[in-house]
Amino acid sequence: MSTVSKPQQTPDWRAFPDARGHFGPYGGQFVSETLMEPLEELREAYQRYLKDPEFLAELDRDLAQYVGRPSPLYLAERLTRELGGARVYLKREDLNHTGAHKVNNTIGQALLAKRMGKTRIIAETGAGQHGVATATVAARLGLECVVYMGADDIQRQSPNVYRMRLLGARVVPVSSGSRTLKDALNEAMRDWVTNVDNTFYIIGTVAGPHPYPAMVRDFQSVIGREARAQYLEATGELPDALVACVGGGSNAIGLFHPFLNDADVAMYGVEAAGDGIETGRHSAPLCAGKPGVLHGNRTYLMEDVDGQITETHSVSAGLDYPGVGPEHAWLKDVGRVQYVSVTDDEALSAFHRLTRTEGIIPALETSHAIAQVIKLAPQVRADGGIIVNLSGRGDKDINTVARMEGIEL
Amino acid sequence: MSRIAARFESLRSQGRKALIPYVTAGDPEPANTVPLMHELVEAGADILELGVPFSDPMADGPVIQQACERALKHHVSLRGVLGMVREFRRDNTTTPVVLMGYLNPVEIMGYETFAREAAEAGVDGLLTVDLPPEEGGDLVQTLSANGIDPIFLLAPTSHEARIKAICGAASGFVYYVSLKGVTGAASLDVDAVAEKLSLIRQHTDLPVGVGFGISDASTAACVARVADAVVVGSALVKLLAANTQDLPAGRAAVASLLGEMRQAMDASQQA
Ligand SMILES: Cc1ncc(COP(=O)(O)O)c(C=O)c1O
């Protein structure tokens, strides 16, 4: 049986990053000089407000009344029976306002922006989920909002583009480079360096320069804090394993972080293997990339022998990113978290499986985590339990799924 | 004395300011670059800044982004750029060459290997846009041990404490980014630049170059009155972009704009 481990028996995995934003050799601040002072102001504000009772009370109130937290920890009984192993619990981030975990972070950063006196919000987005979550909080706070999105992603995700526009955001197509998420991030950085006086850049995942990876993690850790308490309450013990998909890694670190010092809890981060790791057409930098520097931090990247960033592939736009948060790079190297990958086909089949057994349509990103649970549950003791982060709902993906199956909607 | 220090000393003794053109290596194709470097020197360049193409040039505006894309179509790598410098050095052993780019290609090559091969090729300085001195300790040491100057940026947002620390880490010259923005941005405010330069000079005796937003001869002349060096990039790269079908015509257009800048700068120094 897993028990609550005593922190002094294990290294303190939760004490990172260091003062300059390093997780071992990863993370840091690799940006042009113009952004160094603005990042310092941001770090200072974030560290101050995360200890400020008034700020925290406002954040908690918004998370409860606007987002709908706490999200339920749901025992998926039919799926558990079918898999014939450990009990499978779903942490229902899909039930949040806007339908994914992304809003936990945009609420937090937008409140920070307001405290810092910024009047303009910018963001990058791939699938459009982070863009929608940003446009949503900007509308609520009456802030100007500009979202950068790869020109190809705008084509692929047109319903989310329209949602952002309904919410009053300006969606700017990015046609440089590979015309996807990484290029949108480049363009948002260029906007920020130009308009840094009045603009707050809300990054959507645990990437970017310090303090973003730590700050986004802290805002997303509400997922793991709730899940840990809910699981303990329901079972009186800790889970055997945690599973989450990894794009940039924000929903995964949000679930994992509060458990990192619980030595008996295994953790699986699931990357997108696309057509298969061996084909080279994937988005799995931790499983198949190597360390390098991109978007302000050192981490595992998909890159060629010359250090150029290579194109990624995944059926899910939210996992289609050549980098990954630096804390994950470090957790991989120290062996605290296992990183595995799941192909497009496996994810698609998991998408259908969860939909049919539990009546929950998961996002394609999330379907990667479900596919891993399908492999894992039979290997875990039958009276044990697994928590999987149900990071988002799949309504946004029904066109993609239908198209892949040759169905005209 | 390094080639960069020697060049600034000889300019100072002549009462002239340095003109530093930037072009992206391999733009629009690899064979264009070495001839272009020689033509830039003939047109009045004192130091050459050679861009290393990168897939994700976060600090660059559309003009240099597209130059990177043109070069990358030909798979121009950091090693390829070193080959161009080596070839340039066969006919020119005096004009300093500074490589400008992003850290990742250098990381992949390895700091030691890069520094050794770059020094052998005849590279004099390295400016990595996304490497502030806080993260740069190892690379700075390795470069210095191989006689290559690490060039650092200063920006309008740099406070005095940072200016002091960065000037302490820099050698060769320091590069003041004249505005908040990316390369190729509209225009700079000469008075604001002058004010910041006088603050910078309180912390260093190194020459101070100014770049970003200098696109014509009259701005170059204004900046030359307050700075030790004028860096011009996007305005030149635009001319290459307009002449991708006729490489000699592109090089001639670049040389002609650079020549105008040279004349305007020298004339304003004498006035
Ligand atoms: C539902 C959902 N899950 C996961 C992700 C991947 O992001 P991250 O790895 O930061 O959680 C996305 C990104 O768009 C998403 O929309």
Side-chain angles (χ1 to χ4, degrees), chain B residues 3-267:
Chain B
R3 258 193 291 258
I4 292 176
R7 179 53 52 105
F8 274 108
E9 195 164 289
S10 93
L11 283 165
R12 199 175 296 143
S13 69
Q14 298 165 37
R16 298 169 76 220
K17 299 302 178 69
L19 177 56
I20 309 182
Y22 164 97
V23 292
T24 305
D27 173 30
E29 47 187 83
N32 197 45
T33 299
V34 175
L36 177 59
M37 291 168 79
H38 288 300
E39 287 173 46
L40 289 169
V41 172
E42 274 163 42
D46 299 299
I47 297 174
L48 298 178
E49 209 171 280
L50 198 55
V52 180
F54 184 51
S55 54
D56 295 79
M58 246 167 43
D60 286 297
V63 170
I64 293 177
Q65 286 170 45
Q66 284 155 24
C68 285
E69 287 180 20
R70 285 191 294 272
L72 287 175
K73 276 210 186 90
H74 299 278
H75 304 286
V76 174
S77 65
L78 180 52
R79 275 207 166 78
V81 177
L82 295 183
M84 293 173 191
V85 176
R86 207 172 289 123
E87 193 185 329
F88 172 76
R89 282 275 172 254
R90 277 190 220 139
D91 302 307
N92 183 321
T93 55
T94 54
T95 306
V97 175
V98 172
L99 299 188
M100 177 170 184
Y102 295 80
L103 183 59
N104 202 48
V106 181
E107 285 253 323
I108 286 295
M109 195 166 165
Y111 293 171
E112 279 293 338
T113 311
F114 167 77
R116 194 170 6 93
E117 292 187 21
E120 277 165 18
V123 169
D124 301 288
L126 176 70
L127 197 177
T128 27
V129 185
D130 54 352
L131 186 72
E134 283 90 337
E135 301 282 359
D138 292 350
L139 182 56
V140 167
Q141 258 188 347
T142 313
L143 292 175
S144 303
N146 286 274
I148 296 176
D149 287 320
I151 314 289
F152 283 109
L153 298 174
L154 288 168
T157 51
S158 311
H159 293 176
E160 189 161 4
R162 283 194 66 76
I163 292 177
K164 197 170 161 197
I166 292 171
C167 288
S171 64
F173 63 99
V174 294
Y175 184 140
Y176 180 63
V177 173
S178 70
L179 44 79
K180 293 173 196 158
V182 293
T183 54
S187 63
L188 83 192
D189 173 348
V190 179
D191 292 340
V193 169
E195 200 175 305
K196 200 79 177 189
L197 290 194
S198 67
L199 178 62
I200 294 170
R201 289 191 203 285
Q202 290 170 22
H203 297 284
T204 186
D205 294 328
L206 288 173
V208 185
V210 171
F212 283 44
I214 300 166
S215 59
D216 57 36
S218 69
T219 315
C222 287
V223 172
R225 256 178 247 137
V226 296
D228 300 300
V230 173
V231 186
V232 53
S234 296
L236 305 179
V237 172
K238 247 184 219 165
L239 298 171
L240 292 177
N243 291 282
T244 53
Q245 299 310 313
D246 185 348
L247 302 182
R251 297 200 297 269
V254 169
S256 147
L257 177 57
L258 197 73
E260 280 174 37
M261 291 179 161
R262 174 86 271 168
Q263 273 193 333
M265 281 167 60
D266 290 349

Side-chain angles (χ1 to χ4, degrees), chain A residues 358-372:
Chain A
E358 296 291 345
I360 296 171
I361 303 179
L364 280 173
E365 292 81 11
T366 314
S367 301
H368 288 71
I370 303 295
Q372 175 62 18

Side-chain angles (χ1 to χ4, degrees), chain A residues 99-102 125-130 181 204-206 216 220 245-253 316-319 324 328 363-366 389-393 396-397:
Chain A
H101 69 291
K102 297 283 179 191
T125 196
Q129 288 304 103
H130 173 60
L181 177 56
T205 189
V206 284
V216 175
Q220 289 293 1
C245 65
V246 176
S250 67
N251 87 88
I253 205 74
S316 93
L319 303 184
V324 63
H328 288 290
L364 280 173
E365 292 81 11
T366 314
N389 196 349
L390 206 84
S391 59
R393 67 179 189 222
K396 69 180 176 65
D397 294 316

